[in-house]
Amino acid sequence: MATSSAKVIRALQRAKGVTGTATAKAWIVASRPALPANGPPTRFFSSGDDSHSDFAPKKKSVPTPEEALKLIEKHVKENKIMLYMKGNPSQPMCGFSARVVQILKENGADFASVNVLDYPAIREGVKSYSAWPTIPQLYVDGEFIGGCDIVTSLHESGELKELVSSKKD
């Protein structure tokens, strides 16, 4: 028996005049409020069907690989620095993505990102778009830079700072 349970039982024995450990345990169980006859109490959680549209997910589905490639092309062209990663910059979901985010922040880069875990079509599409098999993937000025290992190497050599700070033509 746990020490705290033993203390409770001894205190109960003294206060209520209950004798014996088994009797004290039985008294504790008997003194608990009974469940209603129709089962446990009702819990009120939103089922999702009756929830207001403001609380609905804002993600767009990407139904076809062709649409995914068009969307990736748009992202890469419209954002000076684009990162496809697992998770988001404030909560990366893999160490490699976290490292690239850390490096970009150290270099003062203002970047856009897509969480590929939320969009399976984008996750597969970005791999074929770049012909690079892994995530994260970094693009600067519409050009594929690489994954974590290449970004780390460019950071260590100082080349990444030049890439992310240069003006887009």
Side-chain angles (χ1 to χ4, degrees):
M1 185 182 323
T3 307
S4 60
S5 297
K7 288 180 181 178
V8 169
I9 289 172
R10 280 196 300 277
L12 180 61
Q13 289 170 335
R14 283 192 303 274
K16 300 291 183 187
V18 176
T19 58
T21 303
T23 307
K25 287 181 181 177
W27 190 87
I28 291 170
V29 170
S31 65
R32 290 183 184 149
L35 291 176
N38 59 352
T42 305
R43 296 178 187 248
F44 297 98
F45 297 110
S46 174
S47 67
D49 295 339
D50 59 346
S51 188
H52 192 276
S53 63
D54 286 348
F55 301 106
K58 301 294 185 214
K59 299 176 196 167
K60 289 183 176 180
S61 65
V62 184
T64 67
E66 294 79 23
E67 288 180 31
L69 290 173
K70 286 179 187 174
L71 190 55
I72 292 164
E73 180 83 22
K74 181 180 176 190
H75 291 161
V76 169
K77 287 185 176 185
E78 290 182 358
N79 296 288
K80 176 180 174 20
I81 303 172
M82 185 71 211
L83 177 63
Y84 291 92
M85 63 181 292
K86 293 179 182 175
N88 59 57
S90 62
Q91 189 172 11
M93 300 300 285
C94 90
F96 299 113
S97 293
R99 179 71 180 130
V100 173
V101 168
Q102 177 188 13
I103 288 170
L104 290 172
K105 287 181 178 180
E106 285 176 17
N107 284 280
D110 183 23
F111 62 97
S113 67
V114 170
N115 179 358
V116 298
L117 298 176
D118 286 341
Y119 303 97
I122 298 288
R123 183 179 186 171
E124 293 309 311
V126 76
K127 292 175 185 180
S128 63
Y129 183 80
S130 64
W132 190 261
T134 60
I135 305 291
Q137 292 188 11
L138 180 66
Y139 295 80
V140 176
D141 291 332
E143 182 182 339
F144 176 62
I145 302 303
C148 183
D149 53 347
I150 294 172
V151 171
T152 301
S153 177
L154 290 171
H155 171 64
E156 290 170 352
S157 71
E159 294 175 74
L160 186 66
K161 183 105 177 142
E162 294 171 24
L163 276 174
V164 299
S165 63
S166 66
K167 299 289 183 199
K168 186 174 183 175
D169 293 6

